[in-house]
Structures are given as structure tokens and as C-alpha cells.
């Protein structure tokens, strides 16, 4: 799996957009970009994923550059409850009869602190 | 729809002892993976079970073993516990044949402290 690089920590004021960058310059054509977050002492929570196009769901937006070498997770209106460690992960897109895509390789993530 | 459930939530063991952690995957999922997360680190993949067989394994010694039952639930066993085994142990469930659009779901984890 391709490796990812994320800043160690970031701060964001409550109500503002939080933009979390991720570099994945060695990503392969068959690898998706996934984002998970982990609130203190809890299990990782799925946020969003994408392959080429930008994606949006009720939690966040994912912007992937055209060359797919980097991406940005956007939390449009950060709240105190968004304080967590955010992990950017690339995941191989095996199609059938193999579970290798079920293995996630975590880095150390970005610790986002949302403040009043 | 039940999510991923793990037990126990917390436990304390003594060096040299053995521990068993349990996991029930999300309803409809057939693959269980286990991760170890030391304090301040990201989760590290231990192994994965599908059809009651170990399918992939990370860089962990054979003191770490597992089992999957016909109902897809799983156990993680660690023998001869070391102080360094103190960590949060996470269970993740997924579908074997539905990557990558299918999401991997995690349980809340089991905190193991070895003294």
C-alpha cells in the first residue's frame, strides 16, 4: 500500500472550516483514498473515501488533486466534537475473491484541535 | 443493525499470563481483522480471518493467535504477555468480496494493561 504523509497537528476555530491535507505521491491507479478519525480512546470512525473525483457526504468533503498525489479533507463547520486524530489511508482496490483490500495501513495521523 | 462489538472493554493482566479478546462483526460482514494500537501510535494490523482461516498476518510474533467461528465472530489470543503488549486492541469487520467501496467498521476496542 502507498504511504501517506500528514501534518502532526492542526488547530481550527469552532465554526470555521478545517482543511486537513494528505500527501500520497506514490498512490497507484487502483488505490482509493480513505479518511478515518479517532476520538480519544474510541475505535476509528469512517469519514469518507474517493478514487478520482471529489466526494461529499454528511460529514465532510474530500478533494483529490487531478494527479491524485494529494488530497484534502474538509470539515465545513468544525465543532468541538470534531477534535480527534484524523488518518488518511490509501487502500488497494482488489475486486474479487481476495480480502487484501480489508487491511488498512495507518500512519500517525493529524491531531486536530478545535477551539472556542 | 448492530455494529462491531468487542469484549471486555478493559482488563488488567500480569506478565506471562494469557488473554483472550472477543469480537462480533457488524451484521452481514464475514471478515474480521485485529489491530493493536499502542499509546500515541496509529493502529497496527495483526491478522485477518475469513472462513475461519487466517488470511493475512502483520509483523507480530506467534504469541498472537486467533480464531474465527462459524457465526463470523472472532477471538484474539495473546500468550506469555509482555509489558509491551499493553495497548488498545481493535476489531474491524468487512466483507471479503466487496472491497473497496464497502466500508470497514471498527469496534470501540479492548484496553489491555499488562503489569
Amino acid at each position: 500500500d502507498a504511504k501517506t504523509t500528514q501534518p502532526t497537528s492542526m488547530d481550527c476555530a469552532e465554526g470555521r472550516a478545517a482543511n486537513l491535507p494528505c500527501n500520497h505521491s506514490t498512490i497507484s491507479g487502483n488505490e482509493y483514498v480513505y479518511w478515518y478519525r479517532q476520538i480519544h480512546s474510541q475505535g476509528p470512525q469512517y469519514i469518507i473515501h474517493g478514487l478520482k473525483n471529489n466526494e461529499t457526504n454528511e460529514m465532510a468533503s474530500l478533494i483529490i488533486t487531478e494527479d491524485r498525489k494529494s488530497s484534502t479533507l474538509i470539515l465545513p463547520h468544525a465543532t468541538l466534537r470534531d477534535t480527534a486524530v484524523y488518518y488518511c489511508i490509501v487502500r488497494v482496490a482488489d475486486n474479487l475473491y481476495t480480502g487484501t483490500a480489508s487491511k488498512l495501513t495507518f500512519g500517525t495521523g493529524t491531531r486536530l484541535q478545535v477551539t472556542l | 443493525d448492530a455494529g462491531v462489538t468487542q469484549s471486555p472493554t478493559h482488563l488488567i493482566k500480569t506478565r506471562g499470563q494469557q488473554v483472550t479478546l472477543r469480537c462480533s462483526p457488524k451484521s452481514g460482514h464475514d471478515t474480521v481483522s485485529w489491530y493493536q494500537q499502542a499509546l500515541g501510535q496509529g493502529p497496527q494490523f495483526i491478522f485477518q480471518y475469513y472462513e475461519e482461516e487466517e488470511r493475512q498476518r502483520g509483523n507480530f510474533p506467534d504469541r498472537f493467535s486467533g480464531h474465527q467461528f462459524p457465526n463470523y465472530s472472532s477471538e484474539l489470543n495473546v500468550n506469555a504477555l509482555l509489558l509491551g503488549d499493553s495497548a488498545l486492541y481493535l476489531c474491524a469487520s468487512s466483507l471479503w468480496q466487496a472491497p473497496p467501496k464497502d466500508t470497514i467498521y471498527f469496534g470501540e476496542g479492548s484496553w489491555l494493561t499488562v503489569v
Side-chain angles (χ1 to χ4, degrees), chain A residues 32 34 36 38 41-44 46 49 87 91-95 97-104 106-108, chain B residues 31 33 35 37 41-45 48 56 88 90 94-97 99-104 106-108 111:
Chain A
Y32 281 70
Y34 274 72
Y36 279 78
Q38 189 173 25
S41 300
Q42 297 181 18
Y46 166 80
H49 74 278
Y87 295 100
R91 181 182 176 197
V92 67
D94 283 353
N95 289 320
Y97 309 114
T98 173
T100 57
S102 296
K103 174 185 173 183
L104 297 179
F106 288 84
T108 52
Chain B
T31 303
S33 301
Y35 291 77
Q37 186 174 22
Q41 303 295 317
Q44 299 297 308
F45 176 80
Q48 173 194 70
Q56 295 187 81
L88 176 66
L90 295 161
S94 57
L95 273 172
W96 182 257
Q97 291 191 4
K101 293 183 178 180
D102 187 59
T103 301
I104 297 173
F106 285 83
E108 293 302 308
W111 282 99

Side-chain angles (χ1 to χ4, degrees), chain B residues 13-81:
Chain B
K13 290 286 188 178
T14 305
R15 277 180 298 175
Q17 284 189 317
Q18 179 262 348
V19 68
T20 297
L21 307 177
R22 296 175 177 82
C23 171
S24 292
K26 184 179 185 295
S27 178
H29 281 182
D30 56 12
T31 303
V32 172
S33 301
W34 287 92
Y35 291 77
Q36 179 195 65
Q37 186 174 22
L39 207 59
Q41 303 295 317
Q44 299 297 308
F45 176 80
I46 303 175
F47 45 53
Q48 173 194 70
Y49 276 83
Y50 169 67
E51 289 189 332
E52 303 179 47
E53 291 186 11
E54 183 181 295
R55 300 291 178 156
Q56 295 187 81
R57 190 179 183 92
N59 188 25
F60 280 81
D62 57 11
R63 297 187 298 109
F64 290 76
S65 63
H67 188 77
Q68 186 180 34
F69 301 93
N71 67 352
Y72 308 121
S73 66
S74 176
E75 289 182 349
L76 164 65
N77 301 293
V78 186
N79 295 322
L81 284 167

